[in-house]
Amino acid sequence: MIAIKKQIVCPLCKETSQENIVITADKSKDERVTAGIIDASLFYSKCKYCDMEINLVYPFLYIDPKNKAVIYYLPNLKSDKLLFKKTYKSFPQLKGYKKRIVGTHEELREKVMILESNLDDKVIERLKYSIYKRLSKEQRDKFKNMYFCMSDIDRKRISFIITLENNKTVYYTVSLLAYTKSEIYIDKYRLSKEDPKYFTRINFDWIKNIVNEKRDKLKAEQDKKEPDIKSKENAASKTQAAPIKKKHSGKTLLTKDQLLYMQQTRKHIFDFDQELQKKLSDEDLQEQIGEQEKQDISSTDKAKSEQVKVQEEESKKIEESKALSEEQTKQAPAEEVKTKEAVEKTEDKQK
């Protein structure tokens, strides 16, 4: 930890006091620094004369050897990048570290909390943009900023606080699955690559600009492909139905009479095709009707022949039954005579 003495003027009582200000802090050497950043106590001083709490605003360097990350807090930051060479001379051990630069205390606190949660700040920013797109139109119009505030590994949730106009706040919670999807996006576009020469500002504007650039690039590519497709289609249509014509200086030399003759010829050919198709269709229809009639005639003839056979068989059966009945009638008197004779013989014997 590196601290310097600085004269502080109280904005209320205007009294001057000397305070020790921490300008560089190493988490591995003092764990209290992390808590002081999160609860903002590191950047507040109490006036000895009127007990007023004074917000201290000054450059501050935070080093996290465990996560190999360094955060440079530079108030009123105007640039999104800062050369690392100046800081590297004072801290050569920071080579290979993830370097971030922030312009507000809220950004500094958020970066420290992300490191403490073992998360990636670029993935968090992509997740913020996804949440922003889910907000209502009214909330997006009043949107000011969004900060990571908590991660619950047991419940698999990540929470954010959204600041709107008129000091309104909204809490938004998503699942760790949403974090994984944002992580895939960062890997897909290779946004995790770091430039070791610079301190980089990674915030909501950073991811918003990247998404807009990707969208504009994709739109430009699509607009570029559409004229090519249209030109190919036009060229294909011209080659398929292009009239035979002579060109001179890019102009057609056909006369009006020639054009009229071509139009009449095309109409005559079209009418002839129509008549031919109609004739062929009529012939096909007649052939189909003839075949159907033949089939109907053959079926009726077959049915009649079968009916005649049935009638002949029935008449034959009737004749046979008649002959049988006649024979029975002829045999009946003879049987009656025999029975009568037998009766008479029996009577004679009894006598």
Side-chain angles (χ1 to χ4, degrees):
M1 182 182 291
I2 299 175
I4 60 172
K5 290 184 178 181
K6 190 175 181 180
Q7 297 291 332
I8 304 297
V9 179
C10 178
L12 183 62
C13 65
K14 308 300 180 183
E15 294 290 338
T16 303
S17 60
Q18 197 174 31
E19 297 289 341
N20 289 326
I21 295 176
V22 179
I23 59 173
T24 302
D26 189 336
K27 180 192 172 184
S28 62
K29 296 179 180 179
D30 193 349
E31 291 285 344
R32 294 177 300 174
V33 175
T34 303
I37 294 172
I38 293 173
D39 63 13
S41 61
L42 188 66
F43 299 96
Y44 276 90
S45 175
K46 197 171 186 179
C47 179
K48 297 178 181 179
Y49 301 97
C50 65
D51 294 334
M52 180 183 180
E53 289 188 347
I54 304 169
N55 184 18
L56 304 177
V57 180
Y58 59 90
F60 172 75
L61 191 71
Y62 177 78
I63 303 170
D64 187 350
K66 182 181 177 181
N67 295 305
K68 287 193 174 183
V70 56
I71 306 170
Y72 190 12
Y73 170 41
L74 193 61
N76 302 320
L77 180 64
K78 295 181 180 179
S79 176
D80 292 338
K81 284 187 177 181
L82 184 69
L83 277 172
F84 178 59
K85 291 181 179 179
K86 296 180 181 178
T87 311
Y88 178 68
K89 292 179 182 179
S90 302
F91 302 95
Q93 72 274 18
L94 299 182
K95 188 176 181 180
Y97 275 44
K98 183 190 291 185
K99 304 169 189 68
R100 296 289 180 263
I101 187 170
V102 295
T104 63
H105 177 258
E106 287 79 10
E107 287 183 76
L108 174 63
R109 178 171 53 192
E110 182 187 45
K111 295 297 180 188
V112 171
M113 291 176 69
I114 291 172
L115 290 174
E116 291 296 308
S117 301
N118 295 318
L119 300 174
D120 190 328
D121 60 340
K122 289 183 178 180
V123 179
I124 290 293
E125 297 302 331
R126 179 65 182 91
L127 184 54
K128 284 183 188 179
Y129 187 81
S130 300
I131 294 172
Y132 171 78
K133 298 299 287 183
R134 297 177 192 174
L135 297 177
S136 63
K137 186 178 182 302
E138 183 180 358
Q139 289 175 332
R140 288 199 301 269
D141 293 338
K142 296 180 180 181
F143 179 85
K144 291 180 69 177
N145 218 322
M146 187 187 312
Y147 297 102
F148 167 82
C149 62
M150 187 184 66
S151 66
D152 191 342
I153 303 300
D154 296 333
R155 295 184 178 180
K156 298 181 180 181
R157 294 178 179 178
I158 300 177
S159 299
F160 296 85
I161 183 170
I162 303 169
T163 57
L164 305 175
E165 292 179 357
N166 301 325
N167 296 323
K168 291 184 178 180
T169 57
V170 177
Y171 288 91
Y172 205 102
T173 301
V174 296
S175 66
L176 283 176
L177 180 61
Y179 179 87
T180 304
K181 290 181 180 179
S182 299
E183 196 172 20
I184 292 170
Y185 180 92
I186 296 297
D187 293 337
K188 179 181 178 181
Y189 293 104
R190 300 178 182 178
L191 300 177
S192 58
K193 189 177 180 181
E194 297 286 338
D195 189 350
K197 297 179 182 179
Y198 294 95
F199 282 88
T200 310
R201 192 174 192 180
I202 305 297
N203 56 7
F204 185 78
D205 292 334
W206 169 80
I207 190 62
K208 191 175 181 180
N209 293 332
I210 287 176
V211 172
N212 291 336
E213 287 176 4
K214 300 291 182 186
R215 183 187 59 200
D216 295 340
K217 186 178 179 181
L218 182 62
K219 187 178 179 181
E221 290 176 355
Q222 291 176 350
D223 294 341
K224 188 177 179 181
K225 288 180 181 178
E226 285 179 358
D228 295 338
I229 295 170
K230 289 181 180 179
S231 62
K232 289 180 181 178
E233 290 177 353
N234 293 332
S237 62
K238 287 180 180 179
T239 53
Q240 288 175 0
I244 300 171
K245 56 186 180 181
K246 296 181 180 179
K247 291 186 177 180
H248 178 70
S249 302
K251 295 182 179 179
T252 306
L253 298 179
L254 295 174
T255 62
K256 291 183 178 179
D257 295 335
Q258 289 174 337
L259 291 171
L260 182 62
Y261 175 75
M262 290 175 65
Q263 291 176 357
Q264 291 176 352
T265 304
R266 289 177 181 174
K267 187 176 184 303
H268 177 71
I269 293 169
F270 178 77
D271 294 338
F272 178 75
D273 290 338
Q274 292 290 327
E275 291 178 0
L276 182 60
Q277 290 177 2
K278 186 177 180 182
K279 187 176 180 181
L280 291 173
S281 62
D282 292 339
E283 290 177 355
D284 293 337
L285 183 61
Q286 289 177 0
E287 288 180 358
Q288 292 178 2
I289 292 170
E291 291 178 357
Q292 187 67 32
E293 288 178 351
K294 289 179 181 179
Q295 291 177 0
D296 295 340
I297 290 167
S298 62
S299 60
T300 52
D301 292 340
K302 189 176 180 181
K304 286 180 180 179
S305 62
E306 289 178 355
Q307 188 175 3
V308 169
K309 287 181 180 179
V310 172
Q311 289 177 356
E312 288 177 353
E313 289 177 356
E314 288 179 354
S315 61
K316 190 176 180 181
K317 288 179 180 179
I318 291 168
E319 289 177 356
E320 289 177 353
S321 62
K322 285 181 178 180
L324 182 64
S325 61
E326 287 177 357
E327 289 179 359
Q328 290 177 355
T329 52
K330 286 179 182 180
Q331 292 176 0
E335 289 178 355
E336 288 178 358
V337 172
K338 287 180 181 180
T339 53
K340 189 175 181 182
E341 290 177 355
V343 170
E344 289 177 353
K345 285 179 180 181
T346 52
E347 287 178 354
D348 293 334
K349 286 179 180 182
Q350 289 177 358
K351 289 178 177 180

